[in-house]
């Protein structure tokens, strides 16, 4: 997976995650504010099943599905970034992404990778070994 693909997946899944959180919170708060939930002190005792309550529950469920999809997208982007950086000569990005992701700080590592990370699918130019000066002199006098 190339870095532009990883970046697109990361950004789209981040938008889905944030949008899902907004929908879930908004649906729940609007349902609560308009009396869809019957409360007895701090306890929820019943739900007044009206078309409005069903629509707010639907909006909340859509938000939850978007949150789950965004989280899966974030995980796939992290896996793609780890696999992408495993192809590099220098293993620093690979180790940092892997360790930080396994320590549950994958979002921070992915954000840094998307902004400043290298692309492991771009082939490095071939390294041509130049002969050493002593070898050049040896060829001249042969």
């Amino acid at each position: 997976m190339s870095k532009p693909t990883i970046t697109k997946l990361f950004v789209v899944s981040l938008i889905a995650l944030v949008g899902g959180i907004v929908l879930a919170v908004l649906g729940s708060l609007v349902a609560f504010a308009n009396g869809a939930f019957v409360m007895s002190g701090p306890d929820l005792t019943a739900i007044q099943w009206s078309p409005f309550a069903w629509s707010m529950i639907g909006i909340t469920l859509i938000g939850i599905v978007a949150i789950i999809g965004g989280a899966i997208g974030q995980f796939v982007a992290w896996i793609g970034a780890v696999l992408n950086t495993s192809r590099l000569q220098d293993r620093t990005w690979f180790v940092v992404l892997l360790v930080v992701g396994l320590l549950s700080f994958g979002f921070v590592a992915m954000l840094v990778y998307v902004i400043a990370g290298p692309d492991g699918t771009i082939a490095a130019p071939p390294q041509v070994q130049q002969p050493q000066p002593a070898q050049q002199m040896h060829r001249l006098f042969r």
Side-chain angles (χ1 to χ4, degrees):
M1 192 181 302
S2 67
K3 185 177 176 193
T5 305
I6 293 168
T7 302
K8 288 175 191 171
L9 181 60
F10 178 76
V11 170
V12 167
S13 63
L14 186 62
I15 291 170
L17 199 61
V18 171
I21 291 170
V22 168
L23 275 178
V25 169
L26 191 65
S28 299
L29 288 178
V30 170
F32 179 74
N34 286 310
F37 301 125
V38 178
M39 305 293 289
S40 175
D43 298 330
L44 175 66
T45 57
I47 298 175
Q48 292 186 4
W49 296 109
S50 64
F52 176 76
W54 280 109
S55 63
M56 290 301 108
I57 289 173
I59 288 174
T60 303
L61 288 177
I62 290 171
I64 291 171
V65 169
I67 291 169
I68 292 169
I72 291 170
Q74 290 283 307
F75 180 69
V76 170
W78 175 71
I79 294 292
V82 169
L83 292 176
N84 188 335
T85 55
S86 70
R87 298 179 188 149
L88 298 171
Q89 286 286 79
D90 183 19
R91 299 288 182 175
T92 306
W93 276 100
F94 170 73
V95 171
V96 167
L97 277 172
L98 183 63
V99 170
V100 173
L102 290 175
L103 293 175
S104 299
F105 296 106
F107 177 77
V108 175
M110 281 300 297
L111 196 59
V112 172
Y113 173 75
V114 164
I115 293 171
D119 191 356
T121 58
I122 298 175
Q127 298 288 334
V128 179
Q129 268 192 342
Q130 298 294 327
Q132 300 296 328
Q135 291 173 345
Q136 290 177 351
M137 293 301 285
H138 179 65
R139 287 185 194 162
L140 289 176
F141 292 112
R142 216 194 280 176

